[in-house]
Amino acid sequence: MSAAASLRHGALGLALWAALAGSALPASAHGDHGHHAEPATSAAAQPTAPPPASWPGTMALSVDATDLDRRVLRVQQTLSVATPGQRLALRYARYLPGGHGPYGDVTRLAGLTIQAGNQRLPWRREAADPFTFLVDVPAGATTLNLSFQYLAPVRGSGERISVTREMLGVEWENVLLYPAGPAVHAIRVQPRLRLPPKWQQVSALRGSSGAVVQAGADGWVDFAPVSVETLVDSPLFAGRHVKQVPLDAPGATHPVTLTVLADDAPMLEASKPQLDAHRALVTQADKLFGGARHFRHYDLMLALSDDFGGMGLEHHESSENVLRPDYFKDWDKAIRGRELLAHEYVHSWNGKHRRPADLATPDYHQPMGNSLLWAYEGLTEYWGHVLAARAGLSTPEQARDRLANVYAEVAARSGRSWRPLQDTVIDPAIGPGPSREWDEWQRNADYYDEAQLVWLDVDLTLRTLSQDRHSLDDVARAFFGGRTQQRADGSIAPHPYTEDELLAALDAAHPHDWRRFLHERLDRVGGPTPGLANSGWRLAWATEESRFESNERGWEGEDGTERPQNLVHSLGVRVIGDGGITQVFWNSPAFDAGLTKGMTLLAVNDVAYKADRLEAAIRANTQGEAPIRLLVKDGERYRTVTIDWRGGLRYPRLERVEGAADRLSKVLKAR
């Protein structure tokens, strides 16, 4: 068992608690370190007992979310004091589950006041750790009252909008300070939230009776007490227009519900085949994981909005999904969105129930280890793609075209020539705002797409070696199914896993040198693109976009950004509607011509840029008779470049390999 796992079960001594958990230490202990300065008016600190394994009492947390104009959440928090007369460290979440890195933003906490009775207490931020607030608790004090605001992003901030006039999202780690010392599963909190009039909420939280609760006449929603771990893992969506759709038969013991929120009520309307496809997602996941549901209930939370920022984030008993408002209306478009729902749902098994051991930290302050993100995210990405196809959220043709795009894009990433896939798992630890001027050369989060192809390779190899008697489905049932681990309070405890355990599960499905197999693909630079060997299909090229690609054109991404004209496999460039160049591939024809991200394409062969004009110019030069002339703007400078690309338009497809077994279709076929 890892140190983090031991911490969760209270098996470490005081010294390791202090080193790893940063427990609430006496002021005298902090005074041994130069960066722990005393608050100016602090009382004399007294010796302290070892930090408690759990926090006494239940914290009360009240969040008023009615200020839609200013997008400010107003927080009141009360907590019992474990050791009166001692220094207390309160923490704001820094390392966020699902983000795998230091993505907490403490700058959005403002107006903090701390009181013991009528006495306002001075606090001081930890000098070397801006996410930790130190306060000396007066002797005799038994309770602290905290007040502060969370300043949600507003338009123009460049960050995801989480509060609009029509809906809001509350991620509880943003509105909570928790005491250092105990693991977060051992700290209890009773949350309540005030909503605007006539709004409804959806979350994995329940009322004291175990049922879904809504706001009373005063606007407050009162939830049952939970651990801080469960609270943070149970975000909330709320809005004016809400529709709930059960995805199980009545009376299911671990029910799954799709709850849709929208900017406008008509956007909630869905056809029976569309809803049946979401029900089939639940059915197909049951078949994949052997019927095991490691949750008490599950809420697929889906917000459809142009204003509420796009996202997808996994939780144990729910997921946050935000897509375009015409998700149901334009069903043929953007299957990526429907794969998003499948991906986040799979995470309840891979990532929440079973979690890589170095990601299973005791609180939100300990750095996460990301060594197995190629399994946490890559395998989930693979199964999300597969389950979307099996459920009918995508057609077989769409699934193949999507896979062709992923395969061709990975193959084109020149960064594979110098940076191994395994090294990309470090990307989340870098934190927000890393440089991405040359994205595919630098590589970015390839533990999703390329690792998806690695797991397709694993699945096809399992099927080939076993003469189609075994597959990765067997690993899903045996390794990610199994028995649910429940804590005393009824919450679901994660079951950490190591690489060795995952390799053993593969070997149990069919003996093979899986360590060598995987690390040949994870650790090498260059080499063939994984994924299609033994599939019965190969990558081919067409001069017209597939229906998948053409439907994606003009559709915004999950982050609300416009999808660009994709000329990656010809000129090596992506261009959005106004001519903005959003990406140039390293060593591509566009790169050789001196184009870079951030330039604006103004004209093609002396005529104003339009997507179809650029495509026509590419087609016209297949014999080298009409080199493509582009006028570009770079800041205040203009220049003309010429690209003599003769390969025409190239769009990826999958085509059947004659005489080969069609294992890919077996992978994607509904169970």
Side-chain angles (χ1 to χ4, degrees), residues 50 178 218 239 246 248 368 397 475 501 515 580 605 628:
Y178 67 93
D218 58 359
D248 276 307
M368 296 175 178
E397 179 187 22
V475 178
E501 290 171 315
R515 188 183 305 276
N605 294 337
I628 305 155

Side-chain angles (χ1 to χ4, degrees), residues 104-447:
D105 185 359
V106 73
T107 67
R108 294 199 172 277
L109 181 152
L112 175 63
T113 62
I114 303 177
Q115 288 186 268
N118 294 324
Q119 180 184 359
R120 182 166 174 172
L121 305 180
W123 55 265
R124 188 179 187 114
R125 206 183 298 249
E126 169 68 75
D129 178 7
F131 288 74
T132 297
F133 298 83
L134 306 174
V135 60
D136 287 347
V137 181
T142 59
T143 302
L144 295 185
N145 296 305
L146 284 64
S147 175
F148 60 91
Q149 301 87 45
Y150 172 71
L151 311 179
V154 298
R155 295 184 190 281
S157 66
E159 298 183 51
R160 177 185 169 270
I161 300 298
S162 59
V163 180
T164 74
R165 298 296 305 181
E166 305 299 332
M167 65 181 69
L168 63 84
V170 176
E171 292 177 321
W172 297 100
E173 68 271 15
N174 293 327
V175 293
L176 177 74
L177 289 171
Y178 67 93
V184 289
H185 74 76
I187 306 172
R188 301 285 287 173
V189 58
Q190 181 158 18
R192 64 195 309 254
L193 178 78
R194 189 181 182 194
L195 292 174
K198 299 182 180 180
W199 280 36
Q200 298 179 60
Q201 68 85 24
V202 56
S203 74
L205 299 176
R206 297 294 187 260
S208 56
S209 68
V212 175
V213 288
Q214 296 297 342
D218 58 359
W220 285 99
V221 187
D222 291 288
F223 299 103
V226 293
S227 69
V228 166
E229 178 185 54
T230 298
L231 180 69
V232 169
D233 205 29
S234 305
L236 176 148
F237 280 2
R240 299 177 187 276
H241 310 294
V242 182
K243 181 177 183 178
Q244 282 200 330
V245 181
L247 299 182
D248 276 307
T253 55
H254 303 278
V256 182
T257 302
L258 172 67
T259 302
V260 188
L261 303 89
D263 289 338
D264 297 297
M267 296 294 101
L268 299 173
E269 298 306 315
S271 69
K272 184 178 184 300
Q274 290 168 343
L275 295 179
D276 284 346
H278 291 83
R279 293 186 178 100
L281 170 62
V282 176
T283 301
Q284 291 299 318
D286 284 344
K287 293 178 181 295
L288 178 63
F289 295 110
R293 294 188 180 182
H294 305 287
F295 45 77
R296 294 164 293 185
H297 40 73
Y298 191 95
D299 291 272
L300 273 166
M301 307 191 308
L302 174 60
L304 306 178
S305 176
D306 276 326
D307 298 321
F308 195 54
M311 70 176 303
L313 190 60
E314 69 272 13
H315 304 282
H316 203 142
E317 296 182 315
S318 65
S319 58
E320 300 171 86
N321 307 275
V322 185
L323 296 167
R324 282 282 301 275
D326 41 6
Y327 174 79
F328 291 116
K329 181 181 177 182
D330 290 336
W331 186 250
D332 289 338
K333 295 184 178 180
I335 69 161
R336 283 185 177 89
R338 300 198 288 279
E339 286 192 351
L340 173 69
L341 293 173
H343 175 104
E344 305 304 353
Y345 187 49
V346 168
H347 265 315
S348 187
W349 288 267
N350 181 22
K352 294 299 179 178
H353 162 56
R354 298 304 308 264
R355 186 178 307 172
D358 57 3
L359 280 171
T361 52
D363 59 31
Y364 312 117
H365 207 70
Q366 311 307 313
M368 296 175 178
N370 293 333
S371 63
L372 288 178
L373 279 187
W374 51 268
Y376 180 112
E377 294 292 5
L379 182 52
T380 299
E381 186 79 352
Y382 173 65
W383 275 331
H385 173 75
V386 168
L387 284 181
R390 291 180 184 178
L393 289 167
S394 61
T395 66
E397 179 187 22
Q398 287 172 326
R400 289 194 301 270
D401 287 342
R402 169 83 160 112
L403 182 60
N405 267 39
V406 172
Y407 187 92
E409 182 97 5
V410 168
R413 288 177 187 163
S414 55
R416 298 180 71 240
S417 68
W418 72 272
R419 189 180 181 196
L421 174 59
Q422 178 68 65
D423 187 62
T424 69
V425 303
I426 201 67
D427 287 351
I430 298 171
S435 163
R436 294 296 173 209
E437 280 76 16
W438 299 98
D439 198 45
E440 54 81 37
W441 175 240
Q442 294 166 279
R443 306 197 77 176
N444 177 25
D446 284 354
Y447 52 83

